[in-house]
Amino acid sequence: MEGAALLKMELPVNRALSARYDALIASGEIKEDPVQREAVRHLDLLNTRLAETRLASKKSSLGWLFAKKKNQLWSAVKGLYMWGGVGRGKTMLMDLYYEVTVIQRKRRVHFHEFMTDVHERIHEHRQAHKRGEVKGDDPILPVANQIAAETRLLLFDEFSVTDIADAMILGRLFTQLFEKGVIVVATSNVNPSNLYKDGLNRQLFIPFITMLKSQVEVLHLDSPTDYRLEKLAGAPVYVTPLGQQADTEMDRLWTKLTHGMKSHAEELENKGRKIPVPCVASGAARFSFDNLCMQPLGASDYLRIANAYSTVFIEDIPVLSKARRNEAKRFINLIDTLYDNGIRIVVSAEAEPQELYTSEDGTEAFEFDRTSSRLIEMRSEAYLAGERREIHA
């Protein structure tokens, strides 16, 4: 049976993810991987447990008298924390699981975006308290109540804690969420024991790690193969000149890298502003040059993108002159940030790197020499497999 047809079939809950994984193997999109297969087994078991718990909770849904019992039923379900290096298939597995989970009240979100939302809710509660609209000045319980009312299953991409403001509220917030029966499935580059490593006042964060590990199964995706590198190795990740052939090649590389997964648009939060991301799939993001360099974006915005995606497509990069120095400056900042964080890029450009900036004088001309050099390095297999990716991990 063709993979696409198999994907559309209704299959038993206890092997729904396995069927989709098998379909991708049959279609040639991915290769069989025993480490990924073990993750699929864990996720199918979780889906089965969720289906059983949903049925049991419906039987006891006789109003508020049984709310506590229902929460206890859901709290007994352990989620899953999958961690490992870039390119091990974490995002692909999350894509597939999001499709098949039996839970309707589900939310998939980058962990940084989730925490931004939490801080906004906390701020709103405090403002409402100042206006006398709500009682109690502690916002954690009402915020947890809001989240739990909206979401039964939280799916986190890139679970990582680097901010002390996040670290200080996570323990109290997730104590409430877990008690209310919220289940967590997360991907991360970091072993949960190393979350917020070397962070300020980390000893205060250790109880959260202990609690998290009690609420999730921890699975290390330690496959020796970096599949994202495998798909890009030998590929023309710098496509020039622009035109129909370049567009076709970019489409081909995108489909290959994302396993043909359906893409979607999303927004990233950064310092109260939103960064539109027009195309996202399987942990990769796809932008045009105009999206990134014709908009008022700065280094912190590019860092936000680097922290969210391990591979970035940049299309239709034009040759730049001194008359477009603002766009050139943004492009320099963009490439510096992606390079410094070891992010893999696939680009289509009007010319080779050393020919992308035509002016020979001014600060941008000097800085663009570095950009050209980095673009050349970033298309090499040495960079794609290099140590710089460890910065991002």
Side-chain angles (χ1 to χ4, degrees):
M1 180 178 291
E2 292 296 323
L6 184 55
L7 283 173
K8 295 179 181 178
M9 290 178 61
E10 291 296 328
L11 292 150
V13 167
N14 64 354
R15 63 180 304 271
L17 189 64
S18 297
R20 281 156 172 75
Y21 186 73
D22 291 342
L24 287 173
I25 294 171
S27 67
E29 293 289 342
I30 63 172
K31 297 177 181 178
E32 173 79 35
D33 182 292
V35 177
Q36 290 180 2
R37 178 67 73 178
E38 181 66 7
V40 167
R41 186 182 71 82
H42 274 78
L43 288 165
D44 270 339
L45 286 172
L46 174 58
N47 210 28
T48 302
R49 186 73 193 279
L50 292 173
E52 294 170 347
T53 305
R54 186 174 66 171
L55 181 62
S57 66
K58 283 183 178 179
K59 289 180 179 178
S60 62
S61 58
L62 300 177
W64 64 271
L65 274 172
F66 293 92
K68 185 174 181 180
K69 182 179 180 181
K70 287 176 66 175
N71 285 345
Q72 290 172 343
L73 283 170
W74 287 107
S75 294
V77 180
K78 281 195 172 186
L80 187 66
Y81 183 107
M82 299 179 288
W83 71 278
V86 173
R88 268 59 186 182
K90 302 185 298 295
T91 303
M92 176 196 68
L93 292 168
M94 190 73 97
D95 287 340
L96 295 174
Y97 185 66
Y98 186 80
E99 290 179 4
V100 304
T101 179
V102 297
I103 300 300
Q104 298 300 311
R105 283 196 295 129
K106 59 186 177 181
R107 180 184 179 191
R108 183 178 179 182
V109 62
H110 192 282
F111 189 71
H112 180 89
E113 306 301 319
F114 174 77
M115 291 310 301
T116 297
D117 176 52
V118 167
H119 286 296
E120 288 176 354
R121 293 178 190 243
I122 288 173
H123 176 73
E124 289 171 4
H125 178 86
R126 286 173 173 160
Q127 294 301 113
H129 180 257
K130 286 181 180 179
R131 296 191 298 266
E133 297 171 359
V134 296
K135 295 181 179 179
D137 59 355
D138 184 356
I140 297 299
L141 179 58
V143 167
N145 285 335
Q146 291 172 6
I147 295 170
E150 298 163 359
T151 312
R152 174 65 67 193
L153 179 64
L154 272 173
L155 302 109
F156 291 126
D157 290 302
E158 301 290 341
F159 199 108
S160 176
V161 183
T162 57
D163 188 293
I164 187 172
D166 293 348
M168 292 303 99
I169 67 172
L170 278 172
R172 295 180 60 223
L173 176 66
F174 275 85
T175 295
Q176 294 294 332
L177 291 178
F178 288 139
E179 285 181 359
K180 297 175 191 308
V182 174
I183 295 123
V184 167
V185 175
T187 66
S188 179
N189 293 334
V190 182
N191 183 320
S193 297
N194 291 331
L195 287 168
Y196 197 52
K197 187 177 181 181
D198 301 324
L200 188 64
N201 293 326
R202 187 173 187 262
Q203 71 278 6
L204 301 177
F205 185 72
I206 298 299
F208 168 76
I209 294 176
T210 302
M211 176 178 60
L212 176 65
K213 290 165 71 173
S214 74
Q215 292 291 329
V216 297
E217 300 284 348
V218 178
L219 185 63
H220 185 195
L221 296 184
D222 59 349
S223 171
T225 304
D226 182 339
Y227 292 101
R228 189 148 289 172
L229 169 61
E230 190 176 74
K231 287 182 179 293
L232 289 179
V237 295
Y238 190 101
V239 181
T240 188
L242 298 178
Q244 183 59 52
Q245 187 173 345
D247 293 343
T248 300
E249 180 63 14
M250 293 292 280
D251 287 341
R252 186 188 72 81
L253 287 169
W254 176 260
T255 300
K256 182 179 181 181
L257 190 71
T258 61
H259 317 291
M261 295 286 184
K262 184 179 179 181
S263 61
H264 63 277
E266 63 185 27
E267 292 180 328
L268 298 178
E269 292 272 356
N270 185 45
K271 298 181 178 178
R273 295 178 292 104
K274 296 185 183 297
I275 307 168
V277 187
C279 192
V280 178
S282 197
R286 190 172 181 176
F287 300 89
S288 69
F289 175 86
D290 288 0
N291 295 148
L292 294 171
C293 300
M294 293 286 287
Q295 309 303 318
L297 301 180
S300 70
D301 299 306
Y302 299 140
L303 181 60
R304 183 69 194 88
I305 291 168
N307 287 334
Y309 311 107
S310 57
T311 304
V312 174
F313 279 55
I314 311 169
E315 299 184 272
D316 300 325
I317 301 170
V319 170
L320 299 164
S321 66
K322 193 171 183 179
R324 301 187 68 181
R325 61 182 304 188
N326 288 335
E327 293 97 314
K329 184 64 176 178
R330 292 190 189 107
F331 185 65
I332 290 166
N333 287 338
L334 170 66
I335 297 305
D336 281 349
T337 303
L338 298 179
Y339 177 85
D340 288 342
N341 286 271
I343 306 304
R344 293 163 176 160
I345 63 171
V346 181
V347 306
S348 63
E350 189 175 353
E352 293 289 343
Q354 61 272 28
E355 299 168 354
L356 281 178
Y357 193 69
T358 58
S359 298
E360 296 183 358
D361 59 340
T363 304
E364 288 73 27
F366 173 77
E367 292 180 339
F368 215 96
D369 285 342
R370 181 183 70 246
T371 301
S372 299
S373 176
R374 289 185 166 184
L375 284 170
I376 292 169
E377 181 183 346
M378 292 169 88
R379 67 202 253 184
S380 70
E381 291 192 28
Y383 176 86
L384 294 174
E387 296 178 356
R388 285 195 171 276
R389 288 188 297 106
E390 295 178 6
I391 298 172
H392 182 63

